[in-house]
């Protein structure tokens, strides 16, 4: 019986992602964000349960990636698609009229979903990513885009938003090392970077609320890049 618990939790992640995608297409971005966050919680606890119960399995690993593609790949892409679709017009002679290419631009948002799937496939095969990540993890990417859309609603130009997804797509499959919130121990000296990030993230979210989630992910990327450059300099 216990061997089915982690996979059941993973399926809850998948259901959250499907629901988030539906809400995104309907324009209910706050609910989509909430469901993506819920999916992230399930994503954490399925692996935790598998390790705790000693029931890790190859099928669980594959199911987890399939669920993550939906929750952290398709759902945020659908949110970007919805926002860009709403602004898919151009200005000509002082009046707003449909552009020949504008109706098709929103579909470029799903490039990010494709790169999320590619990142997850690489992660399953990459033995270097046991205590850290190579490239941006899909949950971080999904939380950034969903929080950005909800927190900065109307403040970011739709086409700039779309352009940003290509930057994110690169980061997902890049060779940039990024730290994971995994602790071998809880000493300050061994976890300065993790503790510093967590303290800063809590502060940002407390002050900026939803915007703070997006800013925390930007901080995560920045700290990962700085730590990588410092490590290369020392080496």
């Amino acid at each position: 019986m216990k061997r089915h618990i982690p996979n059941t939790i993973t399926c809850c992640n998948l259901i959250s992602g499907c629901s988030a995608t539906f809400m995104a297409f309907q324009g209910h971005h706050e609910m989509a964000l909430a469901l993506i966050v819920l999916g992230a919680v399930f994503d954490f606890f399925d692996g935790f349960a598998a390790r705790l119960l000693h029931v890790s399995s190859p099928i669980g690993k594959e199911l987890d990636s399939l669920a993550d593609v939906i929750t952290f790949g398709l759902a945020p892409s659908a949110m970007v698609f919805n926002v860009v679709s709403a602004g898919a017009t151009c200005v000509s002679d002082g009046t707003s009229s449909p552009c020949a290419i504008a109706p098709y631009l929103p579909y470029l948002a799903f490039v990010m979903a494709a790169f999320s799937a590619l990142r997850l496939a690489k992660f399953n095969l990459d033995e270097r990513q046991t205590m850290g990540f190579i490239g941006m993890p899909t949950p971080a990417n999904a939380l950034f885009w969903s929080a950005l859309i909800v927190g900065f609603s109307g403040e970011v130009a739709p086409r700039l938003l779309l352009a940003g997804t290509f930057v994110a797509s690169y980061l997902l499959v890049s060779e940039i090392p990024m730290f994971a919130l995994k602790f071998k121990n809880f000493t300050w000296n061994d976890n300065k970077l993790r503790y510093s990030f967590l303290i800063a993230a809590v502060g940002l979210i407390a002050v900026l609320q939803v915007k703070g989630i997006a800013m925390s992910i930007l901080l995560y990327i920045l700290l990962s890049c700085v730590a990588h450059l410092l490590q290369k300099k020392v080496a």
Side-chain angles (χ1 to χ4, degrees), residues 218-229:
L218 287 178
L219 177 64
Y220 168 73
I221 297 170
L222 178 61
L223 288 176
S224 294
C225 291
V226 169
H228 173 55
L229 290 174

Side-chain angles (χ1 to χ4, degrees), residues 62-84:
E62 298 303 323
L63 181 61
D64 183 68
S65 292
L66 291 171
D68 286 354
V69 168
I70 301 299
T71 305
F72 308 128
L74 181 59
S77 295
M79 293 178 74
V80 176
F81 172 86
N82 184 268
V83 172
V84 177

Side-chain angles (χ1 to χ4, degrees), residues 46-64:
D46 63 359
F48 179 81
R51 290 188 295 271
L52 182 66
L53 299 172
H54 305 289
V55 289
S56 298
S57 66
I59 192 171
K61 185 177 181 180
E62 298 303 323
L63 181 61
D64 183 68

Side-chain angles (χ1 to χ4, degrees), residues 65-185:
S65 292
L66 291 171
D68 286 354
V69 168
I70 301 299
T71 305
F72 308 128
L74 181 59
S77 295
M79 293 178 74
V80 176
F81 172 86
N82 184 268
V83 172
V84 177
S85 293
T89 58
C90 66
V91 177
S92 177
D93 299 325
T95 60
S96 182
S97 59
C99 296
I101 195 173
Y104 304 101
L105 286 177
Y107 293 93
L108 292 174
F110 296 111
V111 169
M112 187 166 65
F115 273 83
S116 295
L118 180 58
R119 191 243 155 359
L120 288 162
K122 288 180 64 178
F123 178 80
N124 285 347
L125 300 174
D126 195 339
E127 297 180 356
R128 298 173 296 170
Q129 302 187 56
T130 53
M131 287 300 296
F133 300 109
I134 305 297
M136 183 162 59
T138 54
N141 182 62
L143 288 171
F144 171 75
W145 286 104
S146 54
L148 181 73
I149 288 171
V150 173
F152 294 88
S153 178
E155 298 179 33
V156 183
R159 294 190 184 184
L160 183 60
L161 195 70
L162 188 63
T165 62
F166 285 87
V167 177
S169 295
Y170 163 74
L171 289 174
L172 285 165
V173 297
S174 70
E175 287 293 307
I176 301 172
M178 297 194 181
F179 65 92
L181 295 177
K182 296 179 180 179
F183 296 82
K184 286 184 177 179
N185 59 65

